[in-house]
Amino acid sequence: MGGVVSSLFGSGEDAGTESEPSRLLKFSSSARWQLHYNEIKESNKLMVVDFSASWCGPCRMIEPTIHAMADKFTDVDFVKLDVDELPDVAKEFNVTGMPTFVLIKKGKEIERIIGAKKDELESKVSKLRA
Amino acid sequence: MSVPGFEGFEKRLELRFFDDDNSITSSPMGLRLIDFESLDQVLNEVQCTVVSAVANRSFDAYVLSESSLFVYPTKIIIKTCGTTQLLKSIRPLIHLARNLGLTLRACRYSRGSFIFPKAQPFPYTSFKDEVLVVEESLPKSLCYRKASVMTPSNNPSRAWHVFTASADVESDEPVVVVEVCMTELDRVNARSFFKRKGDEKSNSDSAGKEMTRLSGIDNINANAFICDFAFDPCGYSMNGVDGGRYSTIHVTPEDGFSYGSFECGLSLYDDGHEDISEVLSRAIDVFRPNDVSIATTYGGEDYNHEVTKRVERVLAKKLGLKCRSRLMDEFPGSGTVVYQSFTPRRK
């Protein structure tokens, strides 16, 4: 049973649980997400939205990398949204393949990466954060 | 050649599991709940690793350093090339599935004929040895077993090897799997799959995207999302994801041992999807090979002879490829396999 539970909640290591301070923000409600989005929109900050699902193997695979990137790029906002918890937002952003990373600046989508593409994501975040 | 080149021909393993409704740990996501560390460990045994991945509501698709892995709720497909130890994955996968309350239902192991057979490690030096290893790894409940080598009379060195084992004598899997193996690729077409000079250190994800576009692979199925990867200094892999349908292409472009494979799984009851012969024709046209073999597996009992004939007609008409051999065999609990061999019609 333990094996199944740990796999349902991401990789075996601490994947940004509530008790641990993580730079990766997670929103389970549309309203809270909208509030955050409106806030970031006012600034020049790059926001990386990670659309994933608990049952998506590739999403779990890249999770440690996203946490590491959030720790590394402290001037970038990292948000994780579960497509089952926020299906309307997933639909609004036209998410089909997963994980999908949408890079947003000033309320506009400037880049999108579909798939667990570590190198491409890191290179694009690095380039677009300025 | 004193040193063998890279072996493009893949070994393919498919494991199917029962939908165990009574299990306390059962979930509609089934095998997709296997944690990544465990999958990675299995791939380590096989001697390969994940280089890219994508998923949708139906399945997870991983591009590996040596081909591909697809994880559906009750089905796993692993395809690996080079000198990988694919059969080492059977026992650990059955074990991981059992932990999730899933029981093995059927196993299929298949491959073409290696370009460099002597470069393969044991047991891949002989199909008889491979079959022994697979049999030892499977539970006795899979009692309907058959091994077959389908050898075309026009080209005995390009045989198709299949071993199947099933718990049922009837197969109800409404899936058709088409595996295309191509050798002697057109040299100009093969050039698309070499990283350009100065590009060697470039991002393999973006180089892969470029190869997909340049080669015309993105036109094979316009509906599919493509997860691609370019290897250093050459070589290419992609997984296509289209609803529940998967497709996969792997290319070894080097002259002398060039190889390209195209595989897709489609449902027989899939209306609104394009005719498979057109898809195959476009896929083969990317490579313009001098030798093509197509192994089509009809999972259920619904073998369709019209499809076989249509594929031959379309390939002859559109690509000038003449069917030189057509063989068929039936596997208890695993359906029918048709194996066709094609070479260009002499002008």
Side-chain angles (χ1 to χ4, degrees):
Chain A
M1 197 67 181
V4 174
V5 169
S6 69
S7 67
L8 276 173
F9 288 94
S11 62
E13 14 168 8
D14 292 316
T17 52
E18 275 72 49
S19 55
E20 199 184 77
S22 168
R23 284 208 70 248
L24 181 62
L25 296 168
K26 195 177 178 300
F27 296 105
S28 306
S29 95
S30 245
R32 282 203 213 105
W33 151 250
Q34 200 59 51
L35 270 168
H36 182 81
Y37 177 79
N38 290 337
E39 192 185 303
I40 299 294
K41 196 166 79 168
E42 299 306 314
S43 74
N44 218 10
K45 233 182 180 186
L46 174 67
M47 176 163 67
V48 178
V49 185
D50 170 7
F51 286 95
S52 60
S54 56
W55 38 260
C56 162
C59 301
R60 295 198 301 267
M61 178 182 94
I62 203 175
E63 176 133 358
T65 302
I66 305 304
H67 279 282
M69 277 180 63
D71 288 337
K72 178 174 171 187
F73 299 110
T74 52
D75 55 340
V76 179
D77 192 53
F78 284 85
V79 173
K80 189 167 141 115
L81 302 178
D82 184 305
V83 301
D84 290 325
E85 286 176 356
L86 297 161
D88 47 341
V89 183
K91 193 168 181 194
E92 181 192 330
F93 279 89
N94 216 7
V95 174
T96 46
M98 299 213 291
T100 286
F101 300 97
V102 182
L103 277 63
I104 300 172
K105 230 183 194 182
K106 288 239 176 233
K108 272 215 178 91
E109 173 178 332
I110 52 172
E111 189 65 71
R112 174 182 290 238
I113 294 156
I114 304 175
K117 302 193 158 242
K118 211 159 58 152
D119 292 337
E120 188 175 342
L121 181 63
E122 180 130 8
S123 123
K124 294 228 160 103
V125 170
S126 182
K127 196 173 78 176
L128 296 168
R129 62 203 256 244
Chain B
M1 245 189 185
S2 52
V3 177
F6 187 78
E7 181 63 65
F9 272 93
E10 297 103 340
K11 306 161 178 112
R12 185 185 184 279
L13 178 73
E14 182 175 317
L15 298 173
R16 285 191 289 125
F17 296 82
F18 282 107
D19 239 315
D20 205 353
D21 288 332
N22 296 324
S23 164
I24 48 162
T25 53
S26 81
S27 144
M29 285 303 158
L31 298 164
R32 298 181 75 180
L33 295 177
I34 297 176
D35 62 287
F36 185 69
E37 277 74 30
S38 301
L39 267 183
D40 203 22
Q41 259 175 334
V42 176
L43 293 176
N44 221 30
E45 285 286 306
V46 175
Q47 286 160 12
C48 59
T49 184
V50 175
V51 298
S52 193
V54 78
N56 68 4
R57 294 210 165 262
S58 305
F59 65 103
D60 298 323
Y62 299 90
V63 180
L64 308 176
S65 51
E66 323 255 349
S67 291
S68 294
L69 163 67
F70 298 98
V71 183
Y72 285 79
T74 55
K75 179 171 72 178
I76 286 189
I77 299 168
I78 317 186
K79 195 164 162 153
T80 62
C81 56
T83 52
T84 45
Q85 293 274 5
L86 182 58
L87 299 180
K88 287 197 170 159
S89 66
I90 300 181
R91 268 192 248 258
L93 285 173
I94 294 178
H95 178 78
L96 287 168
R98 203 176 288 130
N99 284 348
L100 290 171
L102 291 161
T103 317
L104 187 64
R105 175 179 194 167
C107 167
R108 162 186 298 271
Y109 173 66
S110 59
R111 65 166 172 85
S113 299
F114 297 119
I115 299 174
F116 303 107
K118 295 207 179 85
Q120 290 291 322
F122 177 84
Y124 309 94
T125 36
S126 129
F127 187 58
K128 280 206 182 85
D129 289 333
E130 289 157 88
V131 171
L132 268 167
V133 170
V134 179
E135 295 223 82
E136 278 168 12
S137 313
L138 298 177
K140 289 194 168 50
S141 53
L142 267 60
C143 52
Y144 300 100
R145 304 182 177 197
K146 177 163 171 175
S148 174
V149 181
M150 300 164 81
T151 311
S153 49
N154 67 300
N155 195 354
S157 63
R158 286 285 300 266
W160 188 253
H161 308 75
V162 185
F163 169 80
T164 62
S166 175
D168 315 292
V169 71
E170 302 275 310
S171 170
D172 62 355
E173 168 111 334
V175 172
V176 175
V177 175
V178 185
E179 296 169 72
V180 185
C181 301
M182 299 166 275
T183 54
E184 295 170 60
L185 312 183
D186 179 283
R187 280 189 208 157
V188 174
N189 292 36
R191 272 201 231 135
S192 305
F193 305 103
F194 283 81
K195 269 189 172 170
R196 280 174 298 200
K197 285 237 183 300
D199 246 8
E200 282 83 8
K201 294 286 181 340
S202 90
N203 194 304
S204 288
D205 296 323
S206 47
K209 208 177 278 178
E210 183 61 18
M211 289 183 185
T212 300
R213 196 191 56 83
L214 206 69
S215 60
I217 283 174
D218 51 355
N219 288 328
I220 297 172
N221 175 5
N223 284 333
F225 173 76
I226 293 175
C227 179
D228 44 33
F229 192 85
F231 293 90
D232 269 316
C234 64
Y236 167 93
S237 283
M238 81 71 145
N239 287 337
V241 168
D242 176 12
R245 269 189 172 195
Y246 74 91
S247 59
T248 184
I249 292 179
H250 300 281
V251 189
T252 300
E254 292 103 312
D255 196 36
F257 48 93
S258 65
Y259 174 84
S261 69
F262 173 80
E263 174 182 334
C264 66
L266 47 138
S267 170
L268 283 175
Y269 310 111
D270 232 350
D271 298 314
H273 265 117
E274 205 177 353
D275 176 23
I276 185 65
S277 333
E278 298 295 325
V279 174
L280 289 179
S281 173
R282 282 200 293 270
I284 297 170
D285 200 27
V286 166
F287 302 98
R288 301 205 165 234
N290 232 19
D291 201 298
V292 185
S293 68
I294 304 180
T296 308
T297 305
Y298 292 81
E301 303 305 307
D302 295 44
Y303 169 62
N304 190 333
H305 194 59
E306 277 314 307
V307 174
T308 300
K309 289 196 291 186
R310 188 161 62 236
V311 167
E312 287 168 19
R313 262 196 324 265
V314 171
L315 293 189
K317 182 171 175 202
K318 292 210 162 162
L319 303 178
L321 286 168
K322 189 163 154 62
C323 184
R324 308 291 179 182
S325 158
R326 189 207 293 158
L327 301 166
M328 202 153 90
D329 206 347
E330 280 174 32
F331 296 81
S334 297
T336 305
V337 174
V338 179
Y339 184 56
Q340 297 156 293
S341 306
F342 302 79
T343 54
R345 187 184 281 121
R346 268 172 275 271
K347 296 262 148 82

